[in-house]
Amino acid sequence: MQRFLIIAVLTSAVAAQALADTSVYRLIEQGKLDAARQELSRTSTAALRDGNHLFFQALLESNGARAADLMETALASSVDYEYRELINYRLAQYYYLNGAWDKLQRQIVTYRAKFENGQYRDQMARFSTLLDEKAGDFESALTQIDRYILNNNSGENRQWGEIDKARVLLAFRKGVGADKLLRGLSREKSGPGVPQALYLLATEAVRNRKADDAVFYYNVLREAFPGAIGQDALVDRMAEMTESSDRTTSEADKITGTFYSIQVGVFSDAANARKLARDFERAGHRVDLVDKTISRVTYKVVFVGRYRTYADAESARTRLQAGANESYQVVAR
């Protein structure tokens, strides 16, 4: 009877601990981090500092290196199977972000061996592709990407695969194939690949000294995805491109008769374009609304002013930016 009672008590304790573990993890999933910390503190004792608790502590840790250490320790402890796969994936992310390529390679091998049909196998395939790309083995990277796209031929996963392929093609100096993929992605209505495609198209335009295309793609990115990262870097790169070409613009003006305007916006919504145009007209500026079609999608481009020389347009652009706290671009028309 006494033995039975001991077993019952132990069973109840294990069940209670499992319930507590689930509670902590659910609070973290819901973003209730303070409540999760309180619950973890309440249930954590010297006897209960097992792998699960180390994992939860890692999720609540703000220091990346410390969090990775906790996860590595959790894997060596009695962490539940349902968390073990996620830990492997999170560690792979950490190793990638920190450029720990050898550790990342080992983590991919470990994950594939233990979770052949795991829920993060597609993400691990992308990490493997990134390692090939980093090593300059572009043919192997493209082979892996094509296999990934074959298995993920729709939705967001397909977009991720096409972005990876376009990036590797650019690194492999196969710009035509990359451009086709990126233009196709740029005209899709939504998805994570769309802003990345616009960004890559803009950076390639800068690299190829195609100022008008660079400005156009930047403005589409800014209008459609104002929170997308990398926009400040794009502006800096376009400014560098402009500065390097300033020395030749004066003679080009005389020869071609080109005039310059300030591009202040690119819109897929014509109503938004007209609203911005009216704002500049009320301020006394000459405004042109011009259609520009790219990848079979028509955009409304708002131009302010017509200037005979690039220097005049650049001076006007500086004044407009100061008043509007926005970034505009001078373009040849």
Side-chain angles (χ1 to χ4, degrees):
M1 182 67 177
Q2 184 178 10
R3 182 179 179 185
F4 174 79
L5 288 174
I6 292 173
I7 293 174
V9 169
L10 289 174
T11 302
S12 298
V14 170
Q17 182 58 32
L19 184 62
D21 286 352
T22 302
S23 174
V24 173
Y25 189 65
R26 293 293 172 265
L27 288 170
I28 294 172
E29 282 190 316
Q30 295 166 11
K32 299 176 181 178
L33 302 186
D34 288 340
R37 290 188 180 94
Q38 292 174 4
E39 181 69 13
L40 188 62
S41 176
R42 186 180 68 81
T43 60
S44 292
T45 66
L48 296 177
R49 292 188 184 277
D50 60 1
N52 287 1
H53 282 71
L54 292 170
F55 171 53
F56 301 151
Q57 289 171 1
L59 293 179
L60 295 168
E61 175 61 58
S62 59
N63 181 283
R66 173 62 179 157
D69 287 343
L70 287 167
M71 287 193 187
E72 289 170 347
T73 305
L75 280 181
S77 305
S78 56
V79 64
D80 287 354
Y81 184 85
E82 63 177 307
Y83 302 134
R84 189 171 289 273
E85 182 182 2
L86 178 57
I87 292 173
N88 275 273
Y89 174 52
R90 293 301 184 199
L91 283 173
Q93 289 180 313
Y94 176 78
Y95 297 149
Y96 170 71
L97 291 172
N98 282 274
W101 310 123
D102 290 343
K103 286 188 175 182
L104 176 58
Q105 180 65 57
R106 289 196 294 272
Q107 200 66 38
I108 293 170
V109 171
T110 299
Y111 181 89
R112 286 174 166 171
K114 294 184 176 180
F115 308 97
E116 184 177 355
N117 297 310
Q119 61 180 315
Y120 303 111
R121 60 187 182 278
D122 289 335
Q123 290 90 332
M124 288 297 185
R126 294 187 65 226
F127 280 134
S128 183
T129 296
L130 288 164
L131 284 176
D132 279 346
E133 181 185 354
K134 178 70 178 176
D137 192 349
F138 301 124
E139 290 184 356
S140 176
L142 289 172
T143 297
Q144 291 201 70
I145 293 170
D146 285 339
R147 188 183 306 123
Y148 174 93
I149 294 175
L150 184 64
N151 294 326
N152 298 275
N153 56 15
S154 63
E156 291 188 359
N157 282 347
R158 187 264 307 164
Q159 287 192 0
W160 283 118
E162 291 187 355
I163 281 293
D164 286 347
K165 186 170 185 176
R167 190 186 62 252
V168 172
L169 285 170
L170 288 173
F172 205 9
R173 295 292 184 262
K174 295 183 180 292
V176 174
D179 187 70
K180 182 179 179 180
L181 280 171
L182 294 174
R183 285 176 181 269
L185 280 167
S186 71
R187 64 173 180 262
E188 294 190 20
K189 292 183 179 180
S190 62
V194 182
Q196 293 185 72
L198 291 167
Y199 177 83
L200 287 173
L201 285 166
T203 55
E204 275 303 288
V206 170
R207 191 178 69 82
N208 292 313
R209 320 297 298 172
K210 296 180 179 179
D212 287 356
D213 285 349
V215 171
F216 175 76
Y217 285 120
Y218 163 73
N219 277 284
V220 174
L221 177 64
R222 185 179 66 172
E223 184 224 348
F225 303 96
I229 63 173
Q231 295 187 54
D232 290 342
L234 266 179
V235 171
D236 291 342
R237 294 182 69 175
M238 288 188 292
E240 290 173 3
M241 178 179 60
T242 300
E243 290 167 4
S244 67
S245 64
D246 282 349
R247 293 185 295 273
T248 62
T249 54
S250 181
E251 288 301 316
D253 293 341
K254 296 175 184 177
I255 296 170
T256 65
T258 296
F259 67 88
Y260 295 87
S261 294
I262 305 162
Q263 183 171 304
V264 296
V266 178
F267 299 90
S268 55
D269 187 331
N272 289 339
R274 288 193 292 270
K275 180 180 181 300
L276 182 64
R278 285 195 298 271
D279 290 342
F280 277 100
E281 286 172 344
R282 292 192 189 102
H285 299 286
R286 174 174 178 167
V287 179
D288 293 322
L289 266 177
V290 178
D291 288 343
K292 182 166 183 177
T293 301
I294 187 162
S295 298
R296 297 193 293 276
V297 178
T298 300
Y299 297 89
K300 289 284 187 183
V301 185
V302 183
F303 293 109
V304 171
R306 291 190 177 190
Y307 303 92
R308 188 180 63 81
T309 69
Y310 182 92
D312 290 340
E314 178 65 19
S315 178
R317 180 185 74 92
T318 301
R319 293 194 299 272
L320 284 179
Q321 286 187 160
N325 195 28
E326 292 281 357
S327 295
Y328 302 136
Q329 301 296 323
V330 173
V331 296
R333 294 179 60 199

